Amino acid sequence: EVQLVESGGGLVQPGGSLRLSCAASGFNVSSNYMSWVRQAPGKGLEWVSVIYSGGRTSYADSVKGRFTISRHTSKNTLYLQMNSLRAEDTAMYYCASYYYDSPEGGWFDPWGQGTLVTVSS
Amino acid sequence: DIQLTQSPSFLSASVGDRVTITCRASQGISSYLAWYQQKPEKAPKLLIYAASTLQSGVPSRFSGSGSGTEFTLTISSLQPEDFATYYCQQWWTFGQGTKVEIK
């Protein structure tokens, strides 16, 4: 069974840092496009970052320069290092695999259950 | 950047109703549009990909169609478990969501 399990969320002060983890089972993180998607309380879904199977990364403008996506092959785990956190980063953070089989696009599946990040003093 | 606008943002419907949600793109996009269902306190679940292909295990009352700038998600006969929020997505962009509530 394919499963993604996030961890590492919590309460952090503005300006602080946090590292999220997403442990995968049933499939290989390094062979897939892996992404983070967040959802602020009561709001919609917002894509945050992706790491492609070749290792290239991409970020939403709202987190560029502050967040870093990475993966550990032998641990089969995806990470999101979040620095200089702001109140507006408060959200549930989901990891998801981005299935891509065409230059025209792809879709997110499966998703983890999410980990909550709260940025507040 | 492409923007996806869903309509309506909220709809109230009864069990058994036929429901249609529209997703409009700010410019012509490929047919690789996906739809997700999200229930409270749960992760989104993929329903449809490539505009009209039903994900494995999703009931056949769900269907998708469209191309270019306009796409639709249809639920042919709304069931109690279908009350949720629905999102469209293309590449890294999501629509703002449509909340389906019980009338």
Side-chain angles (χ1 to χ4, degrees):
Chain A
E1 179 191 5
V2 174
Q3 193 174 17
L4 298 172
V5 179
E6 301 94 333
S7 62
L11 175 63
V12 61
Q13 292 189 340
S17 297
L18 212 55
R19 188 178 83 156
L20 307 183
S21 300
C22 172
S25 57
F27 84 129
N28 192 327
V29 160
S30 297
S31 301
N32 290 276
Y33 292 11
M34 296 299 299
S35 204
W36 289 95
V37 176
R38 69 184 180 183
Q39 186 171 36
K43 302 297 184 181
L45 301 170
E46 178 189 18
W47 172 75
V48 172
S49 181
V50 62
I51 182 165
Y52 299 95
S53 51
R56 185 168 64 92
T57 60
S58 185
Y59 301 89
D61 287 345
S62 57
V63 306
K64 201 173 293 182
R66 301 187 298 123
F67 289 12
T68 302
I69 191 171
S70 63
R71 64 192 181 202
H72 194 297
T73 301
S74 62
K75 293 183 179 179
N76 206 25
T77 298
L78 177 74
Y79 301 101
L80 185 68
Q81 177 66 42
M82 304 186 295
N83 298 331
S84 303
L85 282 161
R86 306 166 180 167
E88 55 264 35
D89 296 318
T90 294
M92 182 70 77
Y93 284 74
Y94 298 100
C95 70
S97 176
Y98 185 79
Y99 186 82
Y100 172 78
D101 73 345
S102 163
E104 297 185 359
W107 50 90
F108 296 96
D109 185 68
W111 296 65
Q113 85 290 349
T115 188
L116 182 63
V117 172
T118 303
V119 184
S120 175
S121 54
Chain B
D1 290 354
I2 290 172
Q3 294 184 19
L4 300 177
T5 303
Q6 293 180 227
S7 60
S9 294
F10 173 88
L11 74 87
S12 182
S14 301
V15 172
D17 284 353
R18 181 181 181 88
V19 167
T20 298
I21 299 169
T22 298
C23 178
R24 289 186 175 88
S26 57
Q27 62 190 82
I29 63 175
S30 74
S31 61
Y32 274 63
L33 185 105
W35 290 95
Y36 303 85
Q37 176 193 66
Q38 186 179 33
K39 296 183 179 179
E41 311 304 319
K42 296 292 187 182
K45 171 189 171 184
L46 177 68
L47 295 177
I48 287 169
Y49 59 91
S52 60
T53 304
L54 206 62
Q55 171 71 336
S56 176
V58 174
S60 59
R61 62 181 179 272
F62 291 91
S63 64
S65 65
S67 64
T69 60
E70 187 162 321
F71 299 82
T72 59
L73 170 70
T74 299
I75 309 171
S76 60
S77 178
L78 201 62
Q79 297 302 299
E81 60 267 31
D82 300 337
F83 291 95
T85 300
Y86 295 85
Y87 295 92
C88 59
Q89 169 258 327
Q90 212 261 354
W91 280 110
W92 315 119
T93 302
F94 290 92
Q96 84 279 12
T98 296
K99 187 173 185 179
V100 178
E101 288 200 344
I102 301 173
K103 183 182 285 185

